[in-house]
Amino acid sequence: MKDTYQHKELRRKLVEALRKKGIEDQAVLDVMMKLPRHFFMEKAFEELAYEDKAFPIGSDQTISQPLTVAIQTSLLEVKNREKVLEIGTGSGYQAALLGLLGARVYTLERHRALYQQAKQLLERLKLGNIRCFHRDGFKGLPEFAPFDKIIVTAGAEEVPEVLSRQLKIGGKMVIPVGKGVQEMLVITRTGENTFERDEKGSFRFVPFLKGLE
Ligand code: SAH
């Protein structure tokens, strides 16, 4: 895998475009500048890796659009050493960014082929503390809960309570919720049984599905 001067230049332009589209979190822009997105995409799309678009990654799934990734990552407000659960490993790109931000990342994927590919790639890139699991995200990861943060990268019809209950008190989850079109929600656990919810705009994700493949 090569990261050429041209790739870096295209990445710089993408990051500049994200800034113009309203992304202000410098730490997020920095890691997006650092991480070669083309490593996480099929060879056929390599030249398009720095367009602000989603692309197919196999198993009928997509790597999210960079603007969406930047918004979700900014909303998550990851701090160094925080325990972060990601649902929907997909290509591994989002997990890698979280790793570069210093999080201790636990990422779950329901498709075996995607899980294996992402795990192999993330091990090879050695980007930080990232653990991959072939699991159904509807169950979360009880043996490692509670988490400081949870990020869901597939569109859920409602907020799965199992997941909100795996947040620390004071922790938060960023999750797109809705049928067809999703509203990005930030759920903050304010107490044992209390949660706050903020709406952050409309998005379109691949569906959050039950069971393993
Ligand atoms: N974060 C990914 C985006 C992948 S798209 C990236 O950076 O590339 C969303 C992913 O969520 C898909 O790979 C899909 O298979 C996965 N997914 C959907 N429902 C899931 C579930 N219940 N548990 C785990 N992963 C799930």
Side-chain angles (χ1 to χ4, degrees):
M1 275 185 289
K2 263 202 195 140
D3 187 34
T4 64
Y5 176 75
Q6 270 113 328
H7 290 128
K8 288 196 183 81
E9 191 50 27
L10 291 172
R11 205 147 66 234
R12 198 186 56 69
K13 287 189 178 138
L14 171 63
V15 167
E16 219 29 68
L18 293 175
R19 197 193 302 277
K20 291 210 177 91
K21 291 177 187 176
I23 304 300
E24 292 174 347
D25 188 326
Q26 194 56 45
V28 171
L29 293 170
D30 284 348
V31 289
M32 289 185 83
M33 181 61 221
K34 213 178 210 176
L35 186 64
R37 185 172 185 245
H38 66 280
F39 287 180
F40 297 82
M41 289 173 49
E42 289 172 13
K43 199 82 185 137
F45 298 116
E46 182 174 334
E47 292 191 11
L48 304 172
Y50 299 102
E51 302 211 351
D52 191 13
K53 288 184 186 151
F55 287 100
I57 52 171
S59 307
D60 248 1
Q61 303 303 319
T62 55
I63 178 170
S64 305
Q65 183 186 340
L67 181 61
T68 303
V69 172
I71 291 172
Q72 280 200 289
T73 314
S74 305
L75 289 172
L76 209 60
E77 298 186 310
V78 173
K79 307 202 176 51
N80 202 28
R81 303 283 302 150
E82 275 187 340
K83 254 170 93 177
V84 179
L85 175 65
E86 181 196 22
I87 313 291
T89 314
S91 66
Y93 178 69
Q94 173 74 71
L97 290 175
L98 296 169
L100 286 174
L101 285 167
R104 290 176 285 155
V105 185
Y106 299 79
T107 181
L108 317 188
E109 173 54 56
R110 65 185 288 276
H111 273 284
R112 178 176 290 279
L114 292 175
Y115 152 76
Q116 279 171 334
Q117 206 180 331
K119 182 177 158 71
Q120 228 178 36
L121 178 60
L122 291 168
E123 276 168 8
R124 193 162 147 205
L125 296 175
K126 294 195 181 65
L127 296 169
N129 195 336
I130 305 169
R131 292 198 235 179
C132 298
F133 300 82
H134 180 223
R135 292 281 188 96
D136 179 359
F138 272 99
K139 301 191 173 125
L141 200 59
E143 68 269 46
F144 290 100
F147 297 94
D148 296 290
K149 306 281 166 66
I150 300 178
I151 174 171
V152 179
T153 66
E157 292 196 359
E158 49 194 55
V159 179
E161 205 190 323
V162 176
L163 294 183
S164 358
R165 295 236 157 244
Q166 290 185 15
L167 280 173
K168 287 185 189 169
I169 292 174
K172 68 177 172 181
M173 167 159 62
V174 175
I175 177 171
V177 175
K179 285 185 195 169
V181 178
Q182 291 86 31
E183 183 69 22
M184 190 66 74
L185 300 183
V186 178
I187 309 283
T188 308
R189 186 172 197 177
T190 51
E192 185 55 36
N193 294 307
T194 51
F195 298 89
E196 249 172 45
R197 139 191 193 139
D198 282 318
E199 299 188 358
K200 301 287 180 182
S202 299
F203 294 82
R204 207 178 276 273
F205 282 78
V206 294
F208 192 2
L209 299 170
K210 289 208 164 102
L212 295 180
E213 296 239 7

